[in-house]
Amino acid sequence: PLMIHYLGVAQYGILLVIWSVTGILGIMNFGLGEATLRYVAHYLGDDDLKGVNRVFGATLTFYATVCALVSAVLLLAGPAVATWLKVPEGEYPLVGTLLRLSAAVFSLAIISRAYGSILMAMQRYDVTSRIEICQNVIRSGGYILLVLGKYGLVQLVLWDIVINLATLCTQAVI
């Protein structure tokens, strides 16, 4: 209700479309995150760090390729997709920009999931849970502050990029 009140129904609807596109793109992991988790756990159980690195390297290579393809499509087709979404004509440039930014959100999120699978393979669910809780609290708090500060949709999507980047960095360090 807070976001609808401060953004307005139309802007909130556009934001939901962008979040939906980013969410739907999540299927582009093709189940590789779960496979990575399984095989990294297997190789860790055998103390085979070369096997872990092979699996993780293959996952990152695949994800980098998928991210590059999705980003290219969103960067090039963002304005065209905006016209298909039946948003008001004056909002086409905004939606095109948001779709382009969602490429970064998607890319950071999917690569972050790969790093998260390492922690889960090590059975460090306590760490992954803390990261997810902190991520969600900070993301939601940021949304509230941005909306109350009367910032727009671009800043909300940029906040998603910042949160996903911070999560990825945290997981990589751990």
Side-chain angles (χ1 to χ4, degrees):
L2 186 69
M3 292 181 86
I4 293 172
H5 175 74
Y6 282 98
L7 291 175
V9 174
Q11 294 287 299
Y12 183 69
I14 291 171
L15 184 61
L16 287 181
V17 167
I18 298 303
W19 283 345
S20 296
V21 167
T22 306
I24 289 169
L25 288 174
I27 65 170
M28 300 297 283
N29 94 1
F30 298 106
L32 198 57
E34 292 78 11
T36 301
L37 170 62
R38 188 240 185 264
Y39 285 104
V40 166
H42 171 77
Y43 287 122
L44 279 174
D46 291 342
D47 287 328
D48 181 2
L49 289 180
K50 286 184 181 181
V52 169
N53 288 331
R54 262 192 332 272
V55 169
F56 192 65
T59 298
L60 286 181
T61 301
F62 179 77
Y63 280 167
T65 303
V66 169
C67 290
L69 291 172
V70 167
S71 295
V73 168
L74 287 174
L75 289 174
L76 296 174
V81 172
T83 61
W84 299 336
L85 294 176
K86 303 203 190 267
V87 295
E89 225 173 281
E91 301 291 346
Y92 288 167
L94 173 65
V95 173
T97 299
L98 294 173
L99 285 169
R100 289 178 176 138
L101 289 173
S102 70
V105 173
F106 161 74
S107 297
L108 290 168
I110 200 166
I111 292 172
S112 178
R113 283 188 219 130
Y115 278 93
S117 69
I118 298 293
L119 292 170
M120 287 190 275
M122 296 173 69
Q123 297 182 354
R124 293 307 311 259
Y125 302 109
D126 58 328
V127 175
T128 57
S129 294
R130 286 184 183 126
I131 290 171
E132 285 183 25
I133 289 168
C134 288
Q135 177 190 31
N136 290 325
V137 167
I138 293 169
R139 175 182 285 128
S140 298
Y143 287 158
I144 291 168
L145 291 175
L146 288 169
V147 168
L148 290 176
K150 301 201 188 294
Y151 289 95
L153 299 182
V154 171
Q155 288 78 18
L156 288 169
V157 176
L158 286 172
W159 181 243
D160 274 337
I161 291 172
V162 168
I163 293 300
N164 282 314
L165 182 60
T167 301
L168 176 60
C169 291
T170 302
Q171 289 170 327
V173 167
I174 293 173

